[in-house]
Amino acid sequence: MVSQRGAAQSRDRFLRWCWVSGTAVVLLVLALLSPLDQATREQISMVAIAGAGVAAALSCAQRATRSTGRRRRAWFLLSLGAVVGLAGNVYSGLVGDPETGDAAYIAALLLGVVGLSLFPAVRPRGQELVRMLLDSVVVGGSVLYIALFALALQADTPQAEPALTAYALPVVDALLATLAVQVMTRSNTAERVPLVLVGGGFVLYAVADVAFALLSAAGGFTFGSPVDAAWAGGYIAIALAARHPAASGSPVAGRADAGTPVLGTVVTFCLFLAAALVRVVQTGNQALPAVANALWVAVLVAVVARQILVVVDNESLRHGLERRVRERTTQLRSLASERERTLESVADGIYGVDPDGHVTFVNTAAAYTLGASAGDLVGRDAHATFHAPADDGSPLPAEGCYITEALRDGITVTAEQDVYLRPDGKKVPVEVTASPLRDDKAIRGAVVVFRDVTERREMERIKDEFVSVVSHELRTPLTAIRGALSLLDSDALDDSPEQAARMVRVALTSSERLGRLVDDILDTERLEAGTTQLEMADHPVDALVAAAVEQVAVLADDAGITLEPITSPEIVRADPERIVQTLTNLLGNAVRFSPPDSTVRVTAAPVGDLVEIRVDDEGRGIPPDKLEAVFRRFEQVDASDTRERGGSGLGLTIARSIVERHGGRLWAVSQGEGTGSSFRFTLRRATPRPAQAPGRTPDDAATRVIVVDDDQYVVDVLRTVLEERGYDVIGLTDGRAALAAVEAEHPAAIVLDLAMPGTSGAEVLSRLRQSAATADVPVVVLSGTRPHDALETAALADDWLVKPVDPDRIVETVRDVIRRQPHHSRVLLVEDHEELRTVVATVLRNAGLVVTTASSVDAARDALSQGADPDLVVLDLTLPDGSGRELVADLRRDGRLRRVPLVVYTGAEVSRTDRADLRLGRTVFLTKGRAAPDAVLRSVLDLLDVAAGRAGDVGRPGQNPSVRNT
């Protein structure tokens, strides 16, 4: 509103200036036509011209200060031209030197030419500006030539040859006036008023200067005539142009309405033709001055130059247009090609429809999903072609179709579930997004993007089935645990210890079942995410198979299945824990699906650089179409297998992931139902290393074992077996010698045969128990007699083995009886979970260990500061006030504890990099999901045995896959 009021005020002020200026010009003309004497009219004329020049100079200067850019420079040059012209007028009037005054006028007019060229707010092209100047030369020269011809007609003989400046002045005037007209015709409507005034001012100059030239040639020009009013009017017109609101060059509406050069060209050539006609009709008696001929030559040169410039400009424009057309065509082709590549590279199906719902294009993915070529689909009705019929076979109505909604209502539909029908009759479930195509707010068609969700639907089905399985697998053991614990808590079984023990076993078995299910789920996620670290080392295949068979033995015995591992000398490069887990899954799977009294065999054979391990069963077999499907998550041959035979459907998935992480391959072979199954996988072979002779440590006395048997061959065999495991063995065949050796050597354990001549084994055992010095020495009885046949002797023994016995069993038994002896070692247990801390501490204390507990980093530091120097630390890494790593760092800085053995017992697996940061002395890593408190005890006792110099097998491949040592 304010801007409109200001614009109206500016227009009003401009109109008042116009009225005042027009009145002044009229009064000047009347004064010059009045009967005043010549001298008075000359004075009036000089004062009027001078005043008008001053007004023009001041008005242009003021407008220059209020303008910007090109328009500021234009008004400044026009103001300077007015000053120069005014100075020429004053000098010519005072001194009486018309030629110097004319030179000043010409300089002023040239400044006006430059100013006019800068007048357009948008800078014209260089060729356009040159053409405008040439047109001005043609127009001005033609007008002056015609005027000279008219003068020649009026006077047979000129009285005097005017000065050159007298001819040049009207030429420059005409050039300037024509240039103003050219600029005006090429400007927009809002800027034409100031240009018309400027051009009008120069036209008045030109008229006055032509009249001056003609009158001077005739010898009749004097100041004080009405011709002087034209000079004053020219100044006033330019002054008014500077007062116009649009004179500053500010942005105005309609700037795009530029003028056309056609009008200027027509005027230019009309005047040129008129001058040419005058030249043709000129007779020899009417000779023109030489300057007229020179003027005609200049006009001809300007015309030729103009036409050459036009031709060059047109050629340049043509080449430019052709180049732009080529570039644009290339861009369009590139854009079309890029769009086509984009459509073809998208995995989702895309097709377009016109307003009538007919297919206009189909990308490759859509054609593949729909089972037809793009050419067969284009032009067909999309709704009738793609949509599958309703359940009753009737076609779906088009009114509710998302294609119709997009075309009719412009609605964008996302994540619409639909079913498409292929030409072969197969139905494809899809997820659809349909969007309308708009052009100038009008709907020109629609684009439909769809995705085949067959696999997603299948995964949803499998997951739903898995949820059902997991809910059953979780609820069943939870119910059993809750029921068993409720009975124990209610004291209902206080009078029935057998039933109470059975309830404890039920709760323990059910909790283990829950743990296995959680472990399987976590293992699957970790293996697929690649976050599980593999501890690769060389291991005998037999050791790995033996560890797996031992874990599945109870399940196989319950099912009446015989496990038959075939020995193999092969050594593989593998992570023992993970490969034992794989074998356990395969063996467990074979046991569950084998009939009673059948055999499950495990074999290994070299295949090039690999070792192929096979688990063969005599079960029901696998259908050929399920040989690959059984390795998918939650997949079973029969969905009822999960409930009837146990398992979560993750074992084979985990096994394949583990083998593939080792660089191997796992697959299944079966001839179908009733033919049994064979699961096979490959591992990389390792070069066997030569066995090293068993060495002895300075502390061998602490692991000395006495073997007593009347058969020297048995003594030699047992000595060899035990010495290979690091024990120092004394072999004896006489009972009396055995008693003397025990009193002298104080062995860690005794392996004793009962049937010996002289002093029998039973007598040796009895005398050992009667002596205070030897009463606590562990004794393992090795006899052909069963313990229930010699109850009194069995009560004195720490363990009993019946001949024949496997050598490894003897080594394990010796180790166990030594381990069961009270250690009295100090253990610091750092665990934040109260219940688990209590359970682990109880297990450790039952083994004779002195346990100090802490629930946080600060509590552990307090225990250490109060003198609790542990022989071993059991540490959880996740604690409420920090990380267990902080405590490890503290222990490293302590000179006494920097080599203390450490058991890291945490919920997440520790990566190889993190293990290096956690190492103190010998360090073992256990995962809570895999290692129960009993496994913690075994690791603790092994580490304490090693630290004390007693033989141990911490981390031996296949012995305890849950234990990791560094």
Side-chain angles (χ1 to χ4, degrees):
M1 196 69 176
V2 175
S3 59
Q4 293 179 354
R5 187 182 300 111
Q9 292 175 355
S10 298
R11 286 195 299 271
D12 293 341
R13 286 196 299 269
F14 175 73
L15 291 176
R16 287 195 295 270
W17 278 110
C18 290
W19 281 107
V20 172
S21 301
T23 301
V25 172
V26 171
L27 291 176
L28 176 60
V29 172
L30 293 176
L32 295 178
L33 292 175
S34 67
L36 295 174
D37 58 89
Q38 180 65 26
T40 302
R41 291 200 305 274
E42 287 183 3
Q43 291 296 325
I44 293 173
S45 177
M46 295 298 294
V47 171
I49 291 173
V54 171
L58 293 177
S59 182
C60 291
Q62 183 184 23
R63 180 55 65 181
T65 60
R66 298 181 179 179
S67 303
T68 58
R70 292 169 54 85
R71 192 59 62 86
R72 168 180 288 183
R73 295 192 294 273
W75 285 118
F76 175 76
L77 290 174
L78 290 177
S79 174
L80 183 60
V83 172
V84 172
L86 178 61
N89 284 328
V90 173
Y91 179 82
S92 177
L94 295 178
V95 178
D97 184 4
E99 292 184 2
T100 302
D102 291 345
Y105 301 154
I106 293 173
L109 293 175
L110 291 176
L111 290 173
V113 170
V114 179
L116 272 179
S117 66
L118 295 173
F119 202 89
V122 180
R123 182 177 182 178
R125 295 186 303 115
Q127 296 90 333
E128 183 179 2
L129 183 60
V130 173
R131 188 168 66 248
M132 291 167 58
L133 292 174
L134 291 175
D135 287 346
S136 301
V137 171
V138 172
V139 171
S142 299
V143 171
L144 184 57
Y145 186 83
I146 295 172
L148 291 174
F149 179 73
L151 179 62
L153 291 177
Q154 295 177 4
D156 293 336
T157 303
Q159 295 182 2
E161 182 71 20
L164 182 60
T165 55
Y167 291 108
L169 193 60
V171 172
V172 179
D173 281 332
L175 185 149
L176 195 54
T178 305
L179 181 61
V181 173
Q182 296 281 349
V183 173
M184 179 185 68
T185 58
R186 286 168 170 80
S187 62
N188 57 46
T189 304
E191 293 179 332
R192 285 180 182 172
V193 174
L195 279 172
V196 167
L197 290 173
V198 172
F202 288 127
V203 167
L204 290 176
Y205 278 144
V207 170
D209 287 338
V210 169
F212 167 74
L214 295 175
L215 293 175
S216 296
F221 175 77
T222 58
F223 280 102
S225 66
V227 175
D228 299 340
W231 279 316
Y235 280 125
I236 292 175
I238 293 174
L240 285 174
R243 308 303 302 175
H244 191 271
S248 62
S250 301
V252 292
R255 169 89 22 111
D257 183 22
T260 173
V262 176
L263 178 61
T265 302
V266 171
V267 172
T268 298
F269 279 94
C270 286
L271 291 175
F272 174 71
L273 290 175
L277 182 61
V278 169
R279 182 73 177 179
V280 171
V281 301
Q282 178 184 350
T283 60
N285 295 330
Q286 296 170 336
L288 293 176
V291 70
N293 294 325
L295 183 60
W296 177 249
V297 172
V299 170
L300 290 178
V301 171
V303 170
V304 173
R306 180 190 187 281
Q307 291 307 110
I308 293 174
L309 181 63
V310 169
V311 172
V312 172
D313 193 21
N314 288 341
E315 283 297 309
S316 176
L317 290 175
R318 183 176 66 83
H319 288 302
L321 288 174
E322 289 178 351
R323 183 181 68 257
R324 292 183 64 185
V325 168
R326 288 195 300 269
E327 292 175 354
R328 187 59 176 169
T329 301
T330 302
Q331 292 175 357
L332 290 175
R333 288 177 179 172
S334 176
L335 182 60
S337 177
E338 182 178 355
R339 289 180 176 176
E340 183 177 356
R341 288 195 302 270
T342 301
L343 286 175
E344 295 304 319
S345 63
V346 173
D348 293 341
I350 303 175
Y351 64 88
V353 297
D354 60 17
D356 297 326
H358 295 98
V359 179
T360 56
F361 71 87
V362 178
N363 73 339
T364 303
Y368 176 79
T369 303
L370 297 173
S373 65
D376 294 338
L377 297 175
V378 172
R380 301 178 65 176
D381 184 272
H383 175 77
T385 303
F386 298 148
H387 288 87
D391 295 337
D392 58 1
S394 60
L396 297 175
E399 290 73 16
C401 177
Y402 45 82
I403 300 177
T404 303
E405 293 177 350
L407 294 173
R408 181 188 61 203
D409 306 324
I411 298 175
T412 298
V413 179
T414 59
E416 179 83 7
Q417 302 298 316
D418 199 358
V419 178
Y420 280 178
L421 183 65
R422 292 164 51 107
D424 58 6
K426 180 181 178 182
K427 294 182 179 181
V428 182
V430 294
E431 185 179 84
V432 178
T433 297
S435 305
L437 285 176
R438 301 180 185 273
D439 185 12
D440 294 334
K441 298 182 180 181
I443 298 176
R444 305 297 183 186
V447 173
V448 179
V449 180
F450 65 91
R451 175 174 297 177
D452 186 352
V453 293
T454 302
E455 292 186 3
R456 186 194 302 175
R457 296 278 180 88
E458 180 65 16
M459 286 302 299
E460 291 174 354
R461 183 193 66 79
I462 294 175
K463 286 183 179 180
D464 291 341
E465 195 169 280
F466 169 69
V467 170
S468 175
V469 171
V470 170
S471 64
H472 176 272
E473 291 295 323
L474 287 175
R475 289 171 180 170
T476 299
L478 281 175
T479 302
I481 293 171
R482 184 174 182 179
L485 295 180
S486 297
L487 287 173
L488 293 172
D489 185 61
S490 65
D491 299 330
L493 302 179
D494 289 348
D495 298 332
S496 179
E498 296 81 4
Q499 289 293 330
R502 182 173 177 273
M503 291 298 102
V504 171
R505 289 195 298 272
V506 167
L508 180 60
T509 303
S510 299
S511 65
E512 291 174 350
R513 182 178 176 185
L514 277 177
R516 286 195 300 269
L517 177 61
V518 173
D519 287 344
D520 285 347
I521 296 174
L522 293 178
D523 278 343
T524 302
E525 297 301 325
R526 289 168 182 162
L527 288 167
E528 292 186 354
T531 58
T532 301
Q533 300 290 330
L534 298 181
E535 298 291 337
M536 306 294 287
D538 295 347
H539 297 285
V541 172
D542 282 353
L544 301 174
V545 172
V549 169
E550 181 180 357
Q551 294 185 28
V552 184
V554 175
L555 177 64
D557 290 342
D558 293 342
I561 307 296
T562 301
L563 299 179
E564 186 179 292
I566 307 300
T567 60
S568 171
E570 298 299 329
I571 298 177
V572 294
R573 185 76 175 170
D575 181 321
E577 177 183 350
R578 292 302 178 181
I579 294 304
V580 170
Q581 182 182 2
T582 299
L583 287 167
T584 302
N585 286 340
L586 297 180
L587 288 169
N589 192 67
V591 169
R592 283 194 296 272
F593 292 97
S594 294
D597 300 325
S598 62
T599 301
V600 175
R601 295 175 177 83
V602 185
T603 59
V607 181
D609 293 335
L610 304 175
V611 175
E612 181 180 298
I613 302 174
R614 298 175 50 170
V615 177
D616 301 326
D617 64 60
E618 301 171 359
R620 70 183 186 185
I622 303 173
D625 60 335
K626 292 284 188 177
L627 288 175
E628 189 63 27
V630 294
F631 292 101
R632 293 201 292 262
R633 298 175 67 175
F634 322 127
E635 188 74 20
Q636 299 274 13
V637 173
D638 189 338
S640 63
D641 288 341
T642 301
R643 294 184 176 90
E644 296 175 359
R645 303 178 184 269
S648 61
L650 294 173
L652 292 178
T653 303
I654 295 171
R656 170 169 279 187
S657 298
I658 291 173
V659 172
E660 289 178 348
R661 287 289 306 277
H662 281 75
R665 186 171 67 92
L666 172 62
W667 70 99
V669 177
S670 179
Q671 301 301 320
E673 297 286 344
T675 61
S677 305
S678 176
F679 286 86
R680 309 172 183 181
F681 66 93
T682 57
L683 295 174
R684 191 169 302 280
R685 295 180 70 188
T687 303
R689 298 177 181 176
Q692 297 180 355
R696 302 216 174 171
T697 65
D699 295 326
D700 279 341
T703 56
R704 183 160 296 154
V705 176
I706 294 179
V707 176
V708 185
D709 196 296
D710 64 337
D711 190 337
Q712 184 63 46
Y713 175 77
V714 173
V715 172
D716 292 339
V717 170
L718 293 179
R719 176 190 286 114
T720 302
V721 171
L722 291 171
E723 286 181 347
E724 285 181 351
R725 300 302 172 88
Y727 293 100
D728 180 32
V729 180
I730 298 176
L732 300 171
T733 59
D734 180 75
R736 189 177 301 277
L739 289 172
V742 171
E743 292 179 0
E745 300 293 340
H746 301 288
I750 302 171
V751 179
L752 179 64
D753 182 18
L754 294 182
M756 289 189 301
T759 304
S760 67
E763 186 178 352
V764 170
L765 179 57
S766 176
R767 292 176 63 178
L768 288 174
R769 294 297 181 244
Q770 293 173 6
S771 172
T774 59
D776 293 332
V777 176
V779 177
V780 177
V781 172
L782 183 63
S783 175
T785 304
R786 296 181 180 276
H788 60 269
D789 295 331
L791 295 178
E792 293 182 2
T793 303
L796 300 176
D798 291 274
D799 213 325
W800 193 294
L801 296 176
V802 178
K803 296 179 180 180
V805 63
D806 185 73
D808 287 339
R809 178 74 181 276
I810 295 175
V811 173
E812 293 175 6
T813 304
V814 169
R815 184 190 62 187
D816 289 341
V817 296
I818 295 174
R819 177 181 294 167
R820 287 200 295 267
Q821 296 305 302
H823 284 71
H824 305 296
S825 298
R826 295 182 297 275
V827 176
L828 174 61
L829 172 61
V830 186
E831 169 63 54
D832 64 327
H833 193 278
E834 182 178 358
E835 289 79 4
L836 181 59
R837 185 172 66 249
T838 302
V839 171
V840 174
T842 302
V843 171
L844 296 178
R845 288 184 179 121
N846 289 340
L849 298 170
V850 178
V851 181
T852 301
T853 61
S855 60
S856 64
V857 175
D858 289 340
R861 288 170 176 166
D862 292 341
L864 293 172
S865 65
Q866 294 172 9
D869 293 339
D871 299 307
L872 182 142
V873 177
V874 179
L875 177 64
D876 184 12
L877 295 181
T878 305
L879 298 170
D881 59 344
S883 172
R885 294 176 174 83
E886 300 175 18
L887 186 60
V888 172
D890 293 345
L891 294 174
R892 284 180 175 175
R893 289 190 289 267
D894 191 324
R896 300 168 301 161
L897 301 175
R898 58 188 304 270
R899 301 298 298 173
V900 68
L902 174 65
V903 175
V904 176
Y905 189 42
T906 187
E909 291 189 8
V910 183
S911 67
R912 184 176 302 174
T913 303
D914 292 339
R915 290 183 182 187
D917 297 335
L918 291 169
R919 184 182 297 115
L920 287 174
R922 183 175 289 268
T923 304
V924 172
F925 295 88
L926 300 178
T927 304
K928 290 179 179 177
R930 298 184 180 280
D934 289 341
V936 178
L937 175 61
R938 288 195 297 269
S939 298
V940 168
L941 295 178
D942 281 338
L943 290 174
L944 291 173
D945 285 343
V946 173
R950 295 185 293 269
D953 294 323
V954 180
R956 182 169 60 85
Q959 182 67 32
N960 187 358
S962 299
V963 178
R964 296 308 183 102
N965 63 298
T966 58

